[in-house]
Amino acid sequence: MARKRVKLAWIPNESARRSTMRNRRQSLVKKVRELSILCGVPTFFIVYSQGEPEPTVWPPTREEAEKLLARFLALPAVEQTRKTTNQESYLREMLNKLHDVHKQQVRVLNELELAYLMDQVHYTSSGLEGLDLYGLNRLSVLLDEKLREVRKKAEYFEVELKGSAAGTNVGNNNVVVPENPNLSWQEDFVNHIINQDGGDGNGGDVGFPPMD
């Protein structure tokens, strides 16, 4: 029979809480002892229990425990707390991870939405007129973000190319590094959307800018 999953919450019943404390503490002492023997590392363990005058300590002898405790206290404060955590730091770390996951999901959704809107414009006879105001606004925003991303990558590679050319081809006039990436059609497309309100301003049809 499968073991019932224990809910991680404070146990209101005092008798059950004491029993759980005793059993879990014994299991923890056993694990600490096994870790010390199997891995050959010094371990120190101390638990203060409510209603008990003396704490539970590992190693069992007072001299060994005091020796390990003194060794720990002799470390700088930075080393003592380097791998410690509390509820606030744990929750902050989890929130940061969830924030990163959220950003990644938003990026994927934006890519899918942009692809859908571009297909709507490019593969339908109505072109931009087939999109409502919300669709036009979203297309403008998504294309603007994509252009910024492309420009950042282009600037990065331009710097890399210049650095590589300066380091390996000093004085070589045959190395050509483009100053500005060819983004003319994307810029025309975005400007075309921004500058029109469902038409060309004169009541004419809105065409799709050439993508050559």
Side-chain angles (χ1 to χ4, degrees), residues 2-204:
R3 183 178 178 181
K4 184 179 179 181
R5 187 172 183 178
V6 178
K7 182 181 179 180
L8 292 179
W10 185 76
I11 303 174
N13 184 277
E14 184 175 356
S15 176
R17 187 170 64 251
R18 288 179 180 274
S19 176
T20 301
M21 176 67 182
R22 183 170 54 253
N23 294 333
R24 295 300 180 96
R25 183 178 56 197
Q26 291 175 354
S27 299
L28 190 55
V29 171
K30 179 182 178 181
K31 292 297 182 181
V32 172
R33 175 177 174 273
E34 291 174 352
L35 179 65
S36 178
I37 296 174
L38 294 174
C39 301
V41 294
T43 56
F44 178 75
F45 169 86
I46 181 170
V47 174
Y48 284 90
S49 304
Q50 185 179 9
E52 296 184 8
E54 295 294 331
T56 301
V57 181
W58 174 268
T61 61
R62 183 184 181 91
E63 292 76 13
E64 292 182 70
E66 289 180 346
K67 182 179 178 181
L68 287 175
L69 179 59
R71 178 180 172 183
F72 173 76
L73 294 177
L75 294 172
V78 175
E79 290 295 324
Q80 291 183 21
T81 60
R82 184 162 58 92
K83 293 185 178 181
T84 60
T85 185
N86 53 33
Q87 187 176 15
E88 181 181 357
S89 61
Y90 171 76
L91 291 176
R92 191 179 301 277
E93 182 181 355
M94 293 300 298
L95 284 174
N96 290 335
K97 290 182 179 179
L98 290 174
H99 181 66
D100 293 338
V101 172
H102 174 70
K103 287 176 60 178
Q104 180 64 27
Q105 290 177 342
V106 169
R107 188 179 298 111
V108 172
L109 290 175
N110 286 342
E111 292 286 344
L112 293 174
E113 184 180 7
L114 177 60
Y116 171 77
L117 292 173
M118 292 289 287
D119 287 344
Q120 289 290 104
V121 172
H122 193 254
Y123 294 107
T124 59
S125 58
S126 56
L128 289 173
E129 289 185 337
L131 299 178
D132 57 11
L133 183 59
Y134 174 78
L136 290 171
N137 289 333
R138 286 298 298 163
L139 184 59
S140 175
V141 170
L142 294 172
L143 282 174
D144 191 50
E145 291 178 356
K146 179 61 67 175
L147 284 173
R148 285 198 298 268
E149 181 181 343
V150 171
R151 288 193 184 97
K152 285 182 179 179
K153 291 182 179 180
E155 291 172 0
Y156 170 79
F157 286 115
E158 182 178 348
V159 172
E160 290 293 315
L161 287 172
K162 286 182 178 179
S164 176
T168 59
N169 298 290
V170 178
N172 187 357
N173 295 326
N174 294 326
V175 177
V176 178
V177 179
E179 292 295 332
N180 296 307
N182 184 15
L183 301 176
S184 58
W185 76 265
Q186 295 98 324
E187 293 176 347
D188 291 342
F189 186 71
V190 173
N191 292 331
H192 186 73
I193 294 174
I194 295 174
N195 295 329
Q196 58 88 29
D197 297 320
D200 60 359
N202 297 317

